[in-house]
C-alpha cells in the first residue's frame, strides 16, 4: 500500500496538499503525523475534543491511499468476538448433522475402538477452520490483500481489557486465534485510533502509537475549512462566523461548538440566505451551535457583545 502511493506521501507538504485537494484542511502537525505513520508503519493515536475532525482524518487518509476504510466503533462491553471473529454456529450445526448422517457408512465394518477413531480422523478437521470463520473488523484489516486504513474509533469508550487485547495487533500487526494460530497481516494496515479523552489510556497502548493531538483550529484554518466545505458562503459572513465561534469557545459552556457545528451553521446560514450576521439570525440559529439549553440561556444575553467583536472590521 505504501509503495504504490509513494508519489502521494513523499513529504508532509505533499500530504497536506493532497488532503486539501480532497477537501480536508489540516495543520502541519497532522500532515507530518500521517507521513511518519505511513513510512514508519506505526499506528496513530489521535486525541482531541469531539468534532475537530479525528474520524474525518481516517476517511480522508483512506481516500488519499485509495485503500478501503475498515471502521470499528468502540463501546463499553466490546469484546474479542465482535472485534476479531465469530464462528458461524448455524453452519457448524448443519455440518454436524451432515457428519452424523455419514458416520454410519464410515464406521461400517470397523473393528474395535482404535479403528473407529482412526476412521473418524479421516474426516477433514474443518469444524474450526476458515470455512466457518466470520471475520470482524480487526481480522478483516489484517487479511486485506493490498492493505487498508483501520479506524478504531473512540478507543477510550472500550474497556481496559479490550485495550490490552489490541496490543499485539498494534505492535506486531498480528493476532492469535486459539483454534487457528497466529494470523499475520498480509499487508500492514494504517491504523488510526481516536480518543475523546473520556478516560486515561494505558502507557502500553500509547507507547505503540504515534501521538497526535488535534485542538480546535486557528481562525485562519477554520476559515479555510469553511471555504472548502461551503464555498458559496461570502467572505464577510465567513469572517464573522469564525470570529463569533471563537468568542463562544472562550466562554465557560458545557459544550463549546466543534468544527462540525461551524460547518453546519455555515450551511444553515447559506440556506437561509443570510449575508450578514445580526442579533436576530444568531438568536434564531443558536441551537445549531449549542446543544444544551443552559448554554443557550447563558449566551443569549451576550449576543450583542459577541456580535460587536465578530463584526468588527467587516
Amino acid at each position: 500500500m505504501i509503495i504504490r502511493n509513494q508519489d502521494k506521501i513523499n513529504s508532509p507538504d505533499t500530504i497536506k496538499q493532497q488532503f486539501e485537494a480532497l477537501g480536508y484542511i489540516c495543520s502541519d502537525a497532522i500532515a507530518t503525523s500521517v507521513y511518519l505513520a505511513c513510512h514508519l508503519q506505526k499506528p496513530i493515536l489521535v486525541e482531541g475534543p469531539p468534532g475537530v475532525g479525528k474520524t474525518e482524518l481516517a476517511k480522508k487518509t483512506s481516500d488519499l491511499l485509495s485503500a478501503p476504510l475498515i471502521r470499528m466503533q468502540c463501546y463499553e462491553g466490546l469484546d474479542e468476538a465482535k472485534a476479531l471473529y465469530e464462528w458461524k454456529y448455524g453452519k457448524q450445526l448443519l455440518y454436524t448433522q451432515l457428519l452424523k448422517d455419514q458416520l454410519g457408512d464410515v464406521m461400517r465394518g470397523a473393528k474395535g475402538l482404535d479403528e473407529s477413531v482412526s476412521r473418524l480422523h479421516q474426516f477433514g478437521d474443518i469444524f474450526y477452520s476458515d470455512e466457518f470463520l466470520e471475520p470482524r473488523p480487526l481480522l478483516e484489516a489484517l487479511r486485506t490483500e493490498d492493505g487498508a486504513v483501520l479506524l478504531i474509533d473512540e478507543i477510550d469508550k472500550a474497556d481496559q481489557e479490550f485495550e490490552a487485547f489490541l496490543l499485539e495487533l498494534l505492535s506486531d500487526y498480528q493476532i492469535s486465534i486459539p483454534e487457528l494460530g497466529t494470523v499475520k497481516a498480509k499487508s500492514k494496515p494504517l491504523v488510526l485510533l481516536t480518543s475523546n479523552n473520556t478516560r486515561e489510556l494505558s502507557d502500553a497502548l500509547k507507547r505503540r502509537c504515534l501521538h497526535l493531538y488535534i485542538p480546535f483550529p486557528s481562525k485562519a484554518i477554520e476559515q479555510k475549512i469553511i471555504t472548502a466545505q461551503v464555498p458559496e458562503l461570502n467572505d464577510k459572513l465567513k469572517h464573522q462566523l469564525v470570529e463569533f465561534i471563537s468568542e463562544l469557545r472562550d466562554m465557560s459552556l458545557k459544550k463549546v461548538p466543534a468544527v462540525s457545528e461551524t460547518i453546519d451553521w455555515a450551511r444553515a446560514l447559506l440556506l437561509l440566505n443570510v449575508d450578514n450576521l445580526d442579533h436576530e439570525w444568531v438568536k434564531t440559529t443558536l441551537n445549531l451551535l449549542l446543544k444544551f439549553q443552559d448554554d443557550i440561556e447563558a449566551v443569549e444575553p451576550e449576543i450583542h457583545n459577541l456580535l460587536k467583536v465578530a463584526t468588527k472590521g467587516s
Side-chain angles (χ1 to χ4, degrees):
M1 180 172 69
I2 304 303
I3 293 172
R4 74 167 189 266
N5 287 291
Q6 281 294 342
D7 59 324
K8 297 178 183 174
I9 57 171
N10 59 21
S11 73
D13 284 343
T14 302
I15 290 176
K16 193 174 178 181
Q17 290 166 12
Q18 293 282 339
F19 275 150
E20 285 188 9
L22 293 168
Y24 184 76
I25 310 301
C26 71
S27 63
D28 292 342
I30 293 174
T32 301
S33 293
V34 173
Y35 172 79
L36 293 175
C38 287
H39 290 275
L40 299 177
Q41 297 192 309
K42 291 199 70 169
I44 314 178
L45 171 61
V46 190
E47 295 189 295
V52 292
K54 301 188 293 295
T55 302
E56 192 65 16
L57 173 61
K59 293 178 181 175
K60 295 304 180 186
T61 303
S62 166
D63 293 342
L64 172 69
L65 299 175
S66 303
L69 175 68
I70 299 175
R71 178 175 181 171
M72 186 177 71
Q73 178 64 48
C74 296
Y75 53 86
E76 193 176 342
L78 177 64
D79 60 16
E80 188 177 321
K82 295 183 179 66
L84 186 56
Y85 70 96
E86 285 185 288
W87 294 109
K88 298 175 182 175
Y89 294 116
K91 285 189 175 180
Q92 283 178 324
L93 286 172
L94 288 173
Y95 174 71
T96 305
Q97 188 62 46
L98 288 173
L99 194 64
K100 186 179 175 183
D101 293 343
Q102 295 182 23
L103 203 55
D105 296 337
V106 173
M107 296 298 175
R108 189 171 295 120
K111 296 176 181 176
L113 183 61
D114 288 345
E115 188 175 349
S116 297
V117 172
S118 175
R119 290 191 182 187
L120 195 59
H121 281 305
Q122 292 175 11
F123 278 95
D125 191 12
I126 64 169
F127 199 75
Y128 287 110
S129 68
D130 271 354
E131 299 286 336
F132 298 108
L133 193 68
E134 183 68 55
R136 297 301 182 198
L138 298 183
L139 185 56
E140 193 183 340
L142 293 180
R143 286 184 159 184
T144 303
E145 289 285 347
D146 296 324
V149 174
L150 173 62
L151 168 62
I152 303 176
D153 214 4
E154 299 184 324
I155 181 62
D156 51 325
K157 288 186 177 174
D159 302 319
Q160 288 183 335
E161 291 78 9
F162 182 75
E163 192 183 315
F165 161 73
L166 286 177
L167 297 181
E168 183 184 8
L169 182 144
L170 297 178
S171 59
D172 299 325
Y173 292 94
Q174 66 178 38
I175 46 93
S176 299
I177 298 178
E179 299 87 350
L180 300 179
T182 301
V183 178
K184 294 187 176 182
K186 292 182 177 177
S187 176
K188 291 181 181 177
L190 180 61
V191 184
L192 288 93
L193 303 95
T194 70
S195 167
N196 291 329
N197 298 316
T198 57
R199 71 170 174 84
E200 188 69 24
L201 299 174
S202 70
D203 290 345
L205 184 137
K206 289 183 175 179
R207 199 167 52 245
R208 285 163 171 78
C209 302
L210 301 173
H211 182 259
L212 171 64
Y213 183 82
I214 303 182
F216 288 119
S218 66
K219 293 177 187 177
I221 287 184
E222 195 155 22
Q223 285 209 38
K224 284 186 177 180
I225 292 171
I226 297 174
T227 301
Q229 297 295 323
V230 195
E232 302 88 351
L233 206 69
N234 72 58
D235 289 343
K236 183 177 75 173
L237 184 56
K238 200 184 309 170
H239 170 81
Q240 293 173 345
L241 185 149
V242 169
E243 291 289 338
F244 189 89
I245 286 179
S246 176
E247 292 299 310
L248 280 184
R249 288 180 184 149
D250 288 337
M251 294 181 68
S252 178
L253 300 173
K254 284 185 179 177
K255 182 185 178 306
V256 294
V259 178
S260 56
E261 282 140 359
T262 304
I263 295 169
D264 286 345
W265 198 32
R267 287 175 176 153
L269 294 176
L270 183 69
L271 187 65
L272 293 166
N273 294 317
V274 178
D275 55 14
N276 185 55
L277 270 190
D278 61 29
H279 190 281
E280 196 56 35
W281 279 123
V282 171
K283 188 176 179 182
T284 305
T285 58
L286 203 53
N287 59 330
L288 290 171
L289 297 173
L290 304 173
K291 307 304 180 183
F292 291 92
Q293 186 59 30
D294 288 350
D295 287 345
I296 292 174
E297 291 173 3
V299 168
E300 279 181 343
E302 302 297 325
I303 290 177
H304 179 72
N305 293 332
L306 294 171
L307 275 174
K308 277 178 69 177
V309 177
T311 57
K312 187 178 179 182
S314 64

